[in-house]
Amino acid sequence: AAAKAAAAAKGTAAGAVKLKIAAAVAAGVVAVGGTAAMLHQPGVTFSDPAFEQNIRVLLDQPEGAIHAQDLEQLSFLCVLENGMTAEWGREPYPIAKEGTTAVASLEDISKLPELHSLNYLVPDNGALLDTVGPHDSLEFFTSYTPKGRAEEYLADLSFVENFPALRSLSVHVTSGADLTPVETKTSLTNLGIFTNGDRLPDLSQLTGLYSLSLSVPQEGTMRLSTSQPLPNLRILSLSGGQSGPPVLGILDWTPGLEYLKCQWIPDRDLTPLAQLSSLRAVDLGGSGPYDLTPLAACPSLEACSIFPGDGAVIPDGLPVAVGDSSAVMDIWMEIRNEAEARETAS
C-alpha cells in the first residue's frame, strides 16, 4: 500500500511538473509570439526618404523595418532647417541631431501616433507646413524665427485645422496672414501671436484660453477685439503698439486675470486694472511714467515690477519693485503650473 501511495505521489508530482513545463512553454510562446507578430507586421512606409532617415537616426535604428510600435517612442519633435531632433535641453536653440538632414515633406508626421509636441523652426514662411496631414494627438505647436527676420514668419496658418486636439499655439506670423484658422480653434488654451503687422485674432470664440500673449512692433498698432468674455484667462502679455490706440480695454473681458505683463503699450492710464479682483502680479516696462494708484484697488495683488521707474507714482504699501521682476516671475510660474495641472486633470 505504501509503495502504491508513493508511486501515486510520484505520478502526481510528475504530472504537476509536466503541467508547469507546459505552462511555461505556453507563456514563452505567447511572449515570443507577440514579438513575432510585430516582426511579421509590414514595416511603415515613408513618403520622404530624408524623413525616414531622420527617424532612423532619432530611434537609433539604422537598419530593418520600422514598425508603428517603434514610432510610439517619439512624442516631441523639432524640425529644423538642417535636420531634426527629439530633444531640447537647456540650450537656447535646439540643435539638429547628427546624421539628420533637411526634409522635403512633413506628410509622414501623421505616422507618429504619440507625437504631442511639434516645434517648427524652418525659415521658409511655413512652406513645409503645407504638406502636413491630419494628426489627432498633437497638442503643442511652436514656430518662431530665432534671428527675428519678419520675411521668415509664417504666412499661412491653415495647417492648424489638421490638429483637432491642439491646445497650445505659439507662432510668428506675417502681417498679411489669414488668422481665421486661429480664431476658430476653440480647443486652444494657450495662444501666442507675434506679428510684424497690426492684425491680431478676434478672440470671441477662444473662451477656453488661460494664457494669451500678443506682440506687435514697438511703434506699431495693436488692435484687440472680442465680443465675448474670456472667463478662463489667467495670464495676459501685451507687447508693442505704442503708436496706436489704448489696449487695456481688453481687461473688461478678463474677470479672472491673475498676471498681466505690458511692454511698450500706448496706455498710460491704468484705471482698467482696478476692476481685477484676482490680479496677483503686474509687470510694466518700456513705457511710462505710470501712476500705480489704481493697483491699490486690487485686493489680491502680491507683486508689481516696473522699469524704468522714473516719474512713477507709487502709493505707500504697494508691493512694487523697480527693475526687479523676480517676484513677479515666480507668481507667473506658479499660475502657469496651476493652470496646466488643472488642464491635465480634466
Side-chain angles (χ1 to χ4, degrees):
K4 288 181 178 181
K10 183 177 181 181
T12 301
V17 170
K18 290 179 180 179
L19 288 174
K20 290 180 180 179
I21 293 174
V25 171
V29 169
V30 170
V32 174
T35 303
M38 185 184 76
L39 293 176
H40 282 87
Q41 291 176 356
V44 174
T45 301
F46 295 89
S47 63
D48 179 12
F51 192 98
E52 177 179 354
Q53 172 61 25
N54 291 349
I55 295 301
R56 289 188 177 279
V57 172
L58 297 179
L59 295 178
D60 193 20
Q61 190 171 329
E63 298 178 351
I66 297 178
H67 299 95
Q69 185 173 334
D70 300 322
L71 298 175
E72 292 177 359
Q73 301 176 50
L74 297 174
S75 62
F76 173 83
L77 190 65
C78 281
V79 180
L80 304 162
E81 185 176 13
N82 60 338
M84 292 181 176
T85 181
E87 300 176 350
W88 189 350
R90 296 184 177 181
E91 63 271 14
Y93 189 73
I95 301 172
K97 189 165 185 178
E98 185 177 356
T100 64
T101 187
V103 297
S105 169
L106 292 179
E107 178 184 350
D108 294 319
I109 289 287
S110 61
K111 296 180 172 68
L112 308 180
E114 296 300 321
L115 185 67
H116 295 291
S117 181
L118 177 62
N119 283 20
Y120 183 80
L121 307 177
V122 182
D124 66 346
N125 287 121
L128 270 179
L129 293 173
D130 292 340
T131 65
V132 171
H135 199 295
D136 293 337
S137 67
L138 193 76
E139 297 179 291
F140 306 91
F141 181 90
T142 299
S143 177
Y144 69 92
T145 56
K147 296 181 180 179
R149 293 193 289 253
E151 63 272 15
E152 299 172 352
Y153 290 5
L154 300 187
D156 183 3
L157 298 173
S158 60
F159 66 89
V160 303
E161 298 169 352
N162 292 317
F163 307 145
L166 191 67
R167 295 193 290 122
S168 178
L169 177 69
S170 182
V171 290
H172 285 186
V173 299
T174 62
S175 59
D178 179 9
L179 300 178
T180 304
V182 175
E183 295 172 338
T184 57
K185 197 64 181 173
T186 57
S187 61
L188 289 174
T189 58
N190 177 48
L191 175 62
I193 296 288
F194 307 85
T195 179
N196 62 331
D198 61 0
R199 184 165 183 268
L200 293 168
D202 185 298
L203 306 170
S204 301
Q205 298 183 59
L206 304 180
T207 56
L209 289 176
Y210 80 78
S211 179
L212 176 63
S213 182
L214 301 172
S215 177
V216 301
Q218 179 178 323
E219 297 300 332
T221 299
M222 179 178 289
R223 305 184 189 279
L224 304 178
S225 62
T226 181
S227 61
Q228 297 295 324
L230 304 173
N232 298 302
L233 196 67
R234 299 292 179 265
I235 298 171
L236 176 61
S237 177
L238 304 174
S239 177
Q242 196 166 235
S243 300
V247 298
L248 291 181
I250 191 69
L251 300 182
D252 295 344
W253 303 92
T254 62
L257 196 68
E258 298 182 33
Y259 171 87
L260 175 65
K261 180 176 182 178
C262 298
Q263 301 286 323
W264 303 111
I265 64 170
D267 305 63
R268 298 295 180 269
D269 182 3
L270 300 182
T271 299
L273 278 68
Q275 65 188 303
L276 301 176
S277 60
S278 298
L279 189 65
R280 297 176 55 192
V282 179
D283 191 348
L284 301 171
S287 303
Y290 287 114
D291 180 353
L292 303 184
T293 302
L295 294 180
C298 300
S300 302
L301 190 68
E302 300 174 36
C304 176
S305 172
I306 182 171
F307 184 82
D310 299 344
V313 177
I314 304 176
D316 292 340
L318 206 63
V320 177
V322 178
D324 182 2
S325 62
S326 56
V328 168
M329 291 304 297
D330 287 343
I331 295 172
W332 169 78
M333 181 67 73
E334 181 181 332
I335 296 169
R336 190 189 70 167
N337 290 342
E338 289 175 354
E340 291 180 351
R342 286 195 300 269
E343 186 175 0
T344 301
S346 63

